[in-house]
Amino acid sequence: MKKTILQNGRLLPALESMLAEEFDVHGLWAEPEPQAFLARHGARFSGLVTSAPVGASAELMAALPNLEVISSFGVGFDKLDLEAAKERGVRVAYTPDVLNDCVADLAFGLLIDVARGISAADRFVRRGEWAKGRYPVTSRVSGKRLGIVGLGRIGQTIAKRAAGFDMEVAYTNRGPAQVPYRYEPSLAALAEWADFLVVAVAGGNGTKGLISRDILQALGPKGFLVNVSRGTVVDERALVEALVAGSIAGAGVDVFENEPHVPAELLGLDNVVVLPHVASGTEETRRAMGDLVLANLRAYFATRELVTPLI
Ligand code: 8YV
């Protein structure tokens, strides 16, 4: 008998097909009245498959009284109610590590883009302005100071990239790590020191608004912000105001407070590069993430163990 799995939100088509081969999968997203469906059929499901941006709430778990395991596509767990899962004895798996390289690559892509004006200069060429004059000079990347907020797996992969650009690296974290970079306990001091402040810390209540108006002020008019973690980590209003006023030099942003909403003020600015949450979005990495989602479910139902457990 195939195990019965509820799917919260759409997943990659290839992953949906692989899941459907091994499990009896039901898409909650396809239900016109999800609450009514859950009230009637919630007890059927022993597994839940979801993704980082969609997560799983305490209410959803409560509607699945026989739920044993959640497998989530992504490394972020700010939308997964882990307390509720713990209380119910539900195991939770996610997909760490396999996305470190692509997220770090994109962080560097954003950093170089905003400093050197790649996207803005491309728009300049497309508008036919090159024939009328030169593109203004931009800001050097090599040899500059990189401050990393959150030196976890992704933060460390970003730091490795910095060596190729002869950058000086410092970081702030819950505590010092065993790494060859300077630990800076004060985020404000790190922002003041850095030419580029890259945010790679986990989302959630603990980091909400961490990059505040004061931190942006410390970064200053020559400093750039790059965010590849969660929109909630940055005070988005303060960031918009800083970019409009030029009180920071620029920003590269892959994540927003209320996705897919991007503040309208940013759309006309050349000192910001805005991306639609694509840091892990390569074919190779998304396939690896999908394989892990499947491997976790398979392992759980075969052995009660997870390959990459969160709890
Ligand atoms: C998403 C992410 O999972 O891993 C995360 O936490 O935010 C992303 O990798 C991805 O966008 C899939 O929706």
Side-chain angles (χ1 to χ4, degrees):
M1 265 272 281
K2 282 181 172 178
K3 294 288 178 186
T4 307
I5 307 274
L6 185 69
Q7 182 182 327
N8 197 18
R10 294 310 302 252
L11 297 164
L12 294 180
L15 176 57
E16 289 188 353
S17 313
M18 290 194 297
L19 285 165
E21 269 176 39
E22 281 183 50
F23 302 101
D24 177 7
V25 186
H26 193 93
L28 187 59
W29 49 267
E31 286 301 326
E33 290 185 48
Q35 301 308 335
F37 172 83
L38 287 171
R40 224 171 308 125
H41 302 286
R44 268 175 43 200
F45 301 99
S46 52
L48 178 73
V49 64
T50 185
S51 59
V54 176
S57 64
E59 294 70 39
L60 178 57
M61 291 181 219
L64 305 170
N66 295 314
L67 184 65
E68 295 174 35
V69 63
I70 299 175
S71 186
S72 180
F73 182 89
V75 70
F77 48 87
D78 46 314
K79 297 254 173 82
L80 291 167
D81 194 324
L82 296 183
E83 285 309 310
K86 261 186 227 157
E87 267 169 35
R88 300 183 160 271
V90 172
R91 302 292 312 277
V92 182
Y94 67 152
T95 66
D97 288 319
V98 292
L99 42 60
N100 296 348
D101 283 325
C102 280
V103 175
D105 291 351
L106 195 95
F108 250 87
L110 279 171
L111 187 157
I112 297 172
D113 190 335
V114 69
R116 298 298 310 272
I118 298 175
S119 294
D122 174 274
R123 287 191 292 272
F124 173 88
V125 171
R126 288 170 198 256
R127 284 195 304 264
E129 287 186 37
W130 193 11
K132 299 179 216 151
R134 294 201 181 161
Y135 191 76
V137 294
T138 58
S139 189
R140 181 182 165 105
V141 169
S142 289
K144 291 279 183 78
R145 293 169 166 182
L146 175 66
I148 302 179
V149 182
L151 203 75
R153 290 173 281 235
I154 293 172
Q156 292 193 31
T157 313
I158 293 169
K160 276 204 285 184
R161 305 281 183 280
F165 292 88
D166 302 318
M167 294 174 102
E168 205 182 324
V169 178
Y171 68 99
T172 193
N173 210 24
R174 275 175 301 229
Q178 295 285 6
V179 289
Y181 318 114
R182 182 172 68 83
Y183 172 59
E184 172 53 74
S186 155
L187 172 57
L190 186 75
E192 203 168 335
W193 169 86
D195 298 303
F196 297 95
L197 192 68
V198 178
V199 185
V201 80
N205 287 337
T207 56
K208 198 167 182 332
L210 187 69
I211 307 298
S212 62
R213 201 171 292 274
D214 288 350
I215 297 300
L216 294 171
Q217 199 173 4
L219 185 59
K222 287 190 178 306
F224 294 90
L225 182 79
V226 171
N227 187 8
V228 288
S229 73
R230 283 293 179 267
T232 51
V233 181
V234 176
D235 177 341
E236 199 164 275
R237 232 344 61 211
L239 177 64
V240 168
E241 284 169 26
L243 288 165
V244 169
S247 53
I248 66 167
V253 191
D254 186 44
V255 285
F256 295 86
E257 226 167 78
N258 183 21
E259 295 173 8
H261 169 77
V262 176
E265 297 100 312
L266 298 185
L267 303 179
L269 294 180
D270 270 346
N271 61 350
V272 62
V273 179
V274 288
L275 294 182
H277 198 150
V278 291
S280 72
T282 63
E283 215 174 292
E284 295 88 341
T285 287
R286 290 279 168 89
R287 192 183 316 122
M289 291 163 70
D291 288 349
L292 255 185
V293 167
L294 190 63
N296 274 301
L297 286 173
R298 232 182 238 156
Y300 179 82
F301 288 118
T303 67
R304 306 279 149 194
E305 297 294 330
L306 297 171
V307 184
T308 44
L310 187 49
I311 57 168

mmCIF file of all heavy atoms in Angstrom, residues 268-304:
data_model
loop_
_atom_site.group_PDB
_atom_site.id
_atom_site.type_symbol
_atom_site.label_atom_id
_atom_site.label_comp_id
_atom_site.label_asym_id
_atom_site.label_seq_id
_atom_site.Cartn_x
_atom_site.Cartn_y
_atom_site.Cartn_z
ATOM 1 N N GLY A 268 12.080 51.968 -10.150
ATOM 2 C CA GLY A 268 12.687 52.996 -10.997
ATOM 3 C C GLY A 268 14.122 53.329 -10.600
ATOM 4 O O GLY A 268 14.718 54.235 -11.168
ATOM 5 N N LEU A 269 14.669 52.607 -9.618
ATOM 6 C CA LEU A 269 16.001 52.959 -9.113
ATOM 7 C C LEU A 269 17.089 52.106 -9.758
ATOM 8 O O LEU A 269 16.938 50.889 -9.886
ATOM 9 C CB LEU A 269 16.060 52.739 -7.596
ATOM 10 C CG LEU A 269 15.195 53.622 -6.708
ATOM 11 C CD1 LEU A 269 15.400 53.226 -5.241
ATOM 12 C CD2 LEU A 269 15.534 55.094 -6.908
ATOM 13 N N ASP A 270 18.210 52.740 -10.110
ATOM 14 C CA ASP A 270 19.331 51.991 -10.673
ATOM 15 C C ASP A 270 20.322 51.516 -9.605
ATOM 16 O O ASP A 270 21.235 50.753 -9.917
ATOM 17 C CB ASP A 270 20.075 52.856 -11.704
ATOM 18 C CG ASP A 270 19.492 52.667 -13.105
ATOM 19 O OD1 ASP A 270 18.722 51.696 -13.308
ATOM 20 O OD2 ASP A 270 19.799 53.492 -13.984
ATOM 21 N N ASN A 271 20.136 51.957 -8.357
ATOM 22 C CA ASN A 271 21.077 51.513 -7.313
ATOM 23 C C ASN A 271 20.563 50.278 -6.568
ATOM 24 O O ASN A 271 21.028 49.950 -5.486
ATOM 25 C CB ASN A 271 21.375 52.649 -6.317
ATOM 26 C CG ASN A 271 20.123 53.133 -5.601
ATOM 27 O OD1 ASN A 271 19.003 52.769 -5.966
ATOM 28 N ND2 ASN A 271 20.307 53.960 -4.577
ATOM 29 N N VAL A 272 19.593 49.618 -7.167
ATOM 30 C CA VAL A 272 19.117 48.369 -6.560
ATOM 31 C C VAL A 272 18.850 47.339 -7.652
ATOM 32 O O VAL A 272 18.338 47.666 -8.727
ATOM 33 C CB VAL A 272 17.862 48.612 -5.672
ATOM 34 C CG1 VAL A 272 16.680 49.154 -6.443
ATOM 35 C CG2 VAL A 272 17.452 47.321 -4.945
ATOM 36 N N VAL A 273 19.274 46.110 -7.368
ATOM 37 C CA VAL A 273 18.974 44.989 -8.268
ATOM 38 C C VAL A 273 17.930 44.141 -7.552
ATOM 39 O O VAL A 273 18.148 43.729 -6.403
ATOM 40 C CB VAL A 273 20.237 44.149 -8.560
ATOM 41 C CG1 VAL A 273 19.910 42.972 -9.474
ATOM 42 C CG2 VAL A 273 21.319 45.024 -9.184
ATOM 43 N N VAL A 274 16.802 43.929 -8.192
ATOM 44 C CA VAL A 274 15.725 43.161 -7.548
ATOM 45 C C VAL A 274 15.531 41.833 -8.290
ATOM 46 O O VAL A 274 15.402 41.805 -9.507
ATOM 47 C CB VAL A 274 14.389 43.947 -7.504
ATOM 48 C CG1 VAL A 274 14.465 45.064 -6.494
ATOM 49 C CG2 VAL A 274 13.990 44.497 -8.855
ATOM 50 N N LEU A 275 15.520 40.761 -7.544
ATOM 51 C CA LEU A 275 15.326 39.431 -8.141
ATOM 52 C C LEU A 275 14.141 38.739 -7.474
ATOM 53 O O LEU A 275 13.859 38.985 -6.302
ATOM 54 C CB LEU A 275 16.588 38.576 -7.956
ATOM 55 C CG LEU A 275 17.846 39.033 -8.691
ATOM 56 C CD1 LEU A 275 18.984 38.047 -8.434
ATOM 57 C CD2 LEU A 275 17.600 39.172 -10.185
ATOM 58 N N PRO A 276 13.471 37.853 -8.216
ATOM 59 C CA PRO A 276 12.269 37.187 -7.681
ATOM 60 C C PRO A 276 12.573 35.890 -6.912
ATOM 61 O O PRO A 276 12.100 34.829 -7.280
ATOM 62 C CB PRO A 276 11.463 36.909 -8.956
ATOM 63 C CG PRO A 276 12.497 36.688 -10.010
ATOM 64 C CD PRO A 276 13.679 37.549 -9.647
ATOM 65 N N HIS A 277 13.346 35.981 -5.834
ATOM 66 C CA HIS A 277 13.669 34.847 -4.960
ATOM 67 C C HIS A 277 14.146 33.626 -5.772
ATOM 68 O O HIS A 277 13.487 32.583 -5.793
ATOM 69 C CB HIS A 277 12.441 34.469 -4.103
ATOM 70 C CG HIS A 277 12.792 33.629 -2.909
ATOM 71 N ND1 HIS A 277 12.095 33.659 -1.739
ATOM 72 C CD2 HIS A 277 13.776 32.716 -2.702
ATOM 73 C CE1 HIS A 277 12.616 32.804 -0.871
ATOM 74 N NE2 HIS A 277 13.647 32.228 -1.441
ATOM 75 N N VAL A 278 15.305 33.801 -6.411
ATOM 76 C CA VAL A 278 15.807 32.752 -7.314
ATOM 77 C C VAL A 278 17.166 32.182 -6.896
ATOM 78 O O VAL A 278 17.788 31.455 -7.674
ATOM 79 C CB VAL A 278 15.914 33.279 -8.770
ATOM 80 C CG1 VAL A 278 14.545 33.535 -9.369
ATOM 81 C CG2 VAL A 278 16.781 34.545 -8.861
ATOM 82 N N ALA A 279 17.632 32.500 -5.687
ATOM 83 C CA ALA A 279 19.017 32.121 -5.341
ATOM 84 C C ALA A 279 19.300 30.626 -5.510
ATOM 85 O O ALA A 279 20.359 30.248 -5.985
ATOM 86 C CB ALA A 279 19.353 32.583 -3.935
ATOM 87 N N SER A 280 18.362 29.779 -5.143
ATOM 88 C CA SER A 280 18.609 28.327 -5.287
ATOM 89 C C SER A 280 18.110 27.818 -6.645
ATOM 90 O O SER A 280 18.171 26.618 -6.915
ATOM 91 C CB SER A 280 17.905 27.554 -4.163
ATOM 92 O OG SER A 280 16.492 27.562 -4.372
ATOM 93 N N GLY A 281 17.656 28.740 -7.495
ATOM 94 C CA GLY A 281 16.887 28.331 -8.679
ATOM 95 C C GLY A 281 17.661 27.928 -9.907
ATOM 96 O O GLY A 281 17.433 28.484 -10.977
ATOM 97 N N THR A 282 18.562 26.966 -9.780
ATOM 98 C CA THR A 282 19.171 26.371 -10.977
ATOM 99 C C THR A 282 18.605 24.964 -11.136
ATOM 100 O O THR A 282 18.181 24.342 -10.155
ATOM 101 C CB THR A 282 20.704 26.269 -10.869
ATOM 102 O OG1 THR A 282 21.040 25.391 -9.789
ATOM 103 C CG2 THR A 282 21.334 27.639 -10.634
ATOM 104 N N GLU A 283 18.657 24.493 -12.369
ATOM 105 C CA GLU A 283 18.138 23.156 -12.649
ATOM 106 C C GLU A 283 18.814 22.112 -11.749
ATOM 107 O O GLU A 283 18.160 21.265 -11.159
ATOM 108 C CB GLU A 283 18.465 22.849 -14.104
ATOM 109 C CG GLU A 283 17.418 22.043 -14.807
ATOM 110 C CD GLU A 283 17.772 21.914 -16.274
ATOM 111 O OE1 GLU A 283 17.733 22.943 -16.967
ATOM 112 O OE2 GLU A 283 18.097 20.788 -16.675
ATOM 113 N N GLU A 284 20.158 22.247 -11.647
ATOM 114 C CA GLU A 284 20.927 21.242 -10.911
ATOM 115 C C GLU A 284 20.574 21.254 -9.421
ATOM 116 O O GLU A 284 20.359 20.201 -8.811
ATOM 117 C CB GLU A 284 22.435 21.520 -11.070
ATOM 118 C CG GLU A 284 22.947 21.378 -12.489
ATOM 119 C CD GLU A 284 22.827 22.667 -13.317
ATOM 120 O OE1 GLU A 284 22.037 23.573 -12.954
ATOM 121 O OE2 GLU A 284 23.523 22.758 -14.341
ATOM 122 N N THR A 285 20.541 22.463 -8.852
ATOM 123 C CA THR A 285 20.282 22.545 -7.409
ATOM 124 C C THR A 285 18.848 22.184 -7.077
ATOM 125 O O THR A 285 18.583 21.455 -6.118
ATOM 126 C CB THR A 285 20.650 23.957 -6.896
ATOM 127 O OG1 THR A 285 22.067 24.029 -6.882
ATOM 128 C CG2 THR A 285 20.135 24.223 -5.501
ATOM 129 N N ARG A 286 17.905 22.668 -7.882
ATOM 130 C CA ARG A 286 16.511 22.337 -7.599
ATOM 131 C C ARG A 286 16.281 20.833 -7.739
ATOM 132 O O ARG A 286 15.493 20.249 -7.000
ATOM 133 C CB ARG A 286 15.581 23.139 -8.512
ATOM 134 C CG ARG A 286 15.546 24.635 -8.165
ATOM 135 C CD ARG A 286 14.614 24.920 -7.000
ATOM 136 N NE ARG A 286 14.766 26.260 -6.469
ATOM 137 C CZ ARG A 286 14.102 27.342 -6.897
ATOM 138 N NH1 ARG A 286 13.241 27.249 -7.876
ATOM 139 N NH2 ARG A 286 14.312 28.507 -6.314
ATOM 140 N N ARG A 287 17.008 20.193 -8.684
ATOM 141 C CA ARG A 287 16.865 18.739 -8.817
ATOM 142 C C ARG A 287 17.404 18.059 -7.554
ATOM 143 O O ARG A 287 16.781 17.156 -7.008
ATOM 144 C CB ARG A 287 17.600 18.233 -10.061
ATOM 145 C CG ARG A 287 17.222 16.790 -10.390
ATOM 146 C CD ARG A 287 17.967 16.207 -11.580
ATOM 147 N NE ARG A 287 18.048 17.115 -12.711
ATOM 148 C CZ ARG A 287 19.197 17.523 -13.261
ATOM 149 N NH1 ARG A 287 20.351 17.105 -12.781
ATOM 150 N NH2 ARG A 287 19.190 18.338 -14.290
ATOM 151 N N ALA A 288 18.565 18.530 -7.081
ATOM 152 C CA ALA A 288 19.160 17.950 -5.870
ATOM 153 C C ALA A 288 18.239 18.153 -4.661
ATOM 154 O O ALA A 288 18.103 17.268 -3.817
ATOM 155 C CB ALA A 288 20.527 18.571 -5.612
ATOM 156 N N MET A 289 17.601 19.321 -4.586
ATOM 157 C CA MET A 289 16.662 19.584 -3.491
ATOM 158 C C MET A 289 15.469 18.624 -3.580
ATOM 159 O O MET A 289 15.033 18.042 -2.580
ATOM 160 C CB MET A 289 16.179 21.039 -3.543
ATOM 161 C CG MET A 289 17.251 22.060 -3.201
ATOM 162 S SD MET A 289 16.816 23.750 -3.748
ATOM 163 C CE MET A 289 15.478 24.160 -2.639
ATOM 164 N N GLY A 290 14.957 18.453 -4.787
ATOM 165 C CA GLY A 290 13.821 17.546 -5.002
ATOM 166 C C GLY A 290 14.185 16.113 -4.638
ATOM 167 O O GLY A 290 13.400 15.412 -3.989
ATOM 168 N N ASP A 291 15.396 15.697 -5.028
ATOM 169 C CA ASP A 291 15.840 14.335 -4.702
ATOM 170 C C ASP A 291 15.875 14.127 -3.189
ATOM 171 O O ASP A 291 15.510 13.067 -2.687
ATOM 172 C CB ASP A 291 17.236 14.066 -5.295
ATOM 173 C CG ASP A 291 17.199 13.916 -6.809
ATOM 174 O OD1 ASP A 291 16.079 13.806 -7.379
ATOM 175 O OD2 ASP A 291 18.280 13.931 -7.439
ATOM 176 N N LEU A 292 16.289 15.183 -2.465
ATOM 177 C CA LEU A 292 16.359 15.074 -1.001
ATOM 178 C C LEU A 292 14.966 15.017 -0.367
ATOM 179 O O LEU A 292 14.754 14.304 0.615
ATOM 180 C CB LEU A 292 17.114 16.269 -0.423
ATOM 181 C CG LEU A 292 18.534 16.055 0.071
ATOM 182 C CD1 LEU A 292 19.058 17.324 0.719
ATOM 183 C CD2 LEU A 292 18.613 14.893 1.059
ATOM 184 N N VAL A 293 14.043 15.776 -0.939
ATOM 185 C CA VAL A 293 12.657 15.740 -0.430
ATOM 186 C C VAL A 293 12.132 14.311 -0.517
ATOM 187 O O VAL A 293 11.547 13.773 0.440
ATOM 188 C CB VAL A 293 11.750 16.695 -1.250
ATOM 189 C CG1 VAL A 293 10.273 16.435 -0.969
ATOM 190 C CG2 VAL A 293 12.092 18.149 -0.932
ATOM 191 N N LEU A 294 12.394 13.692 -1.649
ATOM 192 C CA LEU A 294 11.935 12.321 -1.890
ATOM 193 C C LEU A 294 12.698 11.337 -0.999
ATOM 194 O O LEU A 294 12.098 10.454 -0.365
ATOM 195 C CB LEU A 294 12.157 12.004 -3.372
ATOM 196 C CG LEU A 294 11.544 10.731 -3.899
ATOM 197 C CD1 LEU A 294 10.031 10.777 -3.803
ATOM 198 C CD2 LEU A 294 11.944 10.538 -5.370
ATOM 199 N N ALA A 295 14.029 11.512 -0.929
ATOM 200 C CA ALA A 295 14.863 10.590 -0.138
ATOM 201 C C ALA A 295 14.448 10.614 1.329
ATOM 202 O O ALA A 295 14.449 9.578 2.001
ATOM 203 C CB ALA A 295 16.333 10.970 -0.276
ATOM 204 N N ASN A 296 14.084 11.789 1.835
ATOM 205 C CA ASN A 296 13.662 11.886 3.232
ATOM 206 C C ASN A 296 12.363 11.121 3.482
ATOM 207 O O ASN A 296 12.232 10.411 4.483
ATOM 208 C CB ASN A 296 13.521 13.354 3.644
ATOM 209 C CG ASN A 296 14.839 13.946 4.110
ATOM 210 O OD1 ASN A 296 15.448 13.461 5.060
ATOM 211 N ND2 ASN A 296 15.299 14.980 3.418
ATOM 212 N N LEU A 297 11.407 11.259 2.573
ATOM 213 C CA LEU A 297 10.128 10.547 2.743
ATOM 214 C C LEU A 297 10.359 9.031 2.658
ATOM 215 O O LEU A 297 9.862 8.260 3.485
ATOM 216 C CB LEU A 297 9.125 10.979 1.681
ATOM 217 C CG LEU A 297 8.513 12.366 1.864
ATOM 218 C CD1 LEU A 297 7.660 12.739 0.661
ATOM 219 C CD2 LEU A 297 7.678 12.452 3.151
ATOM 220 N N ARG A 298 11.136 8.646 1.653
ATOM 221 C CA ARG A 298 11.447 7.226 1.452
ATOM 222 C C ARG A 298 12.092 6.641 2.708
ATOM 223 O O ARG A 298 11.696 5.606 3.207
ATOM 224 C CB ARG A 298 12.465 7.144 0.326
ATOM 225 C CG ARG A 298 12.089 6.211 -0.774
ATOM 226 C CD ARG A 298 13.210 6.213 -1.777
ATOM 227 N NE ARG A 298 12.751 6.595 -3.086
ATOM 228 C CZ ARG A 298 13.508 7.115 -4.037
ATOM 229 N NH1 ARG A 298 14.786 7.381 -3.809
ATOM 230 N NH2 ARG A 298 13.001 7.399 -5.204
ATOM 231 N N ALA A 299 13.130 7.362 3.202
ATOM 232 C CA ALA A 299 13.872 6.868 4.365
ATOM 233 C C ALA A 299 12.955 6.784 5.575
ATOM 234 O O ALA A 299 12.981 5.801 6.316
ATOM 235 C CB ALA A 299 15.045 7.791 4.661
ATOM 236 N N TYR A 300 12.133 7.802 5.761
ATOM 237 C CA TYR A 300 11.260 7.785 6.939
ATOM 238 C C TYR A 300 10.332 6.567 6.913
ATOM 239 O O TYR A 300 10.220 5.844 7.912
ATOM 240 C CB TYR A 300 10.432 9.075 7.066
ATOM 241 C CG TYR A 300 9.542 8.980 8.270
ATOM 242 C CD1 TYR A 300 10.036 9.261 9.533
ATOM 243 C CD2 TYR A 300 8.232 8.504 8.152
ATOM 244 C CE1 TYR A 300 9.244 9.087 10.659
ATOM 245 C CE2 TYR A 300 7.434 8.329 9.271
ATOM 246 C CZ TYR A 300 7.947 8.617 10.524
ATOM 247 O OH TYR A 300 7.180 8.417 11.636
ATOM 248 N N PHE A 301 9.681 6.341 5.790
ATOM 249 C CA PHE A 301 8.706 5.248 5.760
ATOM 250 C C PHE A 301 9.372 3.874 5.759
ATOM 251 O O PHE A 301 8.770 2.903 6.188
ATOM 252 C CB PHE A 301 7.744 5.434 4.581
ATOM 253 C CG PHE A 301 6.775 6.567 4.820
ATOM 254 C CD1 PHE A 301 6.746 7.684 3.998
ATOM 255 C CD2 PHE A 301 5.910 6.532 5.913
ATOM 256 C CE1 PHE A 301 5.865 8.738 4.232
ATOM 257 C CE2 PHE A 301 5.021 7.578 6.161
ATOM 258 C CZ PHE A 301 5.007 8.686 5.322
ATOM 259 N N ALA A 302 10.656 3.816 5.345
ATOM 260 C CA ALA A 302 11.355 2.523 5.373
ATOM 261 C C ALA A 302 11.986 2.260 6.737
ATOM 262 O O ALA A 302 11.973 1.128 7.227
ATOM 263 C CB ALA A 302 12.420 2.493 4.288
ATOM 264 N N THR A 303 12.556 3.300 7.379
ATOM 265 C CA THR A 303 13.378 3.060 8.583
ATOM 266 C C THR A 303 13.044 3.980 9.754
ATOM 267 O O THR A 303 13.665 3.877 10.799
ATOM 268 C CB THR A 303 14.865 3.302 8.245
ATOM 269 O OG1 THR A 303 15.035 4.712 7.957
ATOM 270 C CG2 THR A 303 15.330 2.497 7.040
ATOM 271 N N ARG A 304 12.139 4.898 9.580
ATOM 272 C CA ARG A 304 11.812 5.941 10.579
ATOM 273 C C ARG A 304 12.977 6.918 10.773
ATOM 274 O O ARG A 304 12.990 7.679 11.740
ATOM 275 C CB ARG A 304 11.428 5.352 11.959
ATOM 276 C CG ARG A 304 10.325 4.337 11.924
ATOM 277 C CD ARG A 304 8.967 4.973 11.856
ATOM 278 N NE ARG A 304 8.064 4.083 11.102
ATOM 279 C CZ ARG A 304 6.884 4.396 10.603
ATOM 280 N NH1 ARG A 304 6.424 5.601 10.766
ATOM 281 N NH2 ARG A 304 6.160 3.549 9.952
#
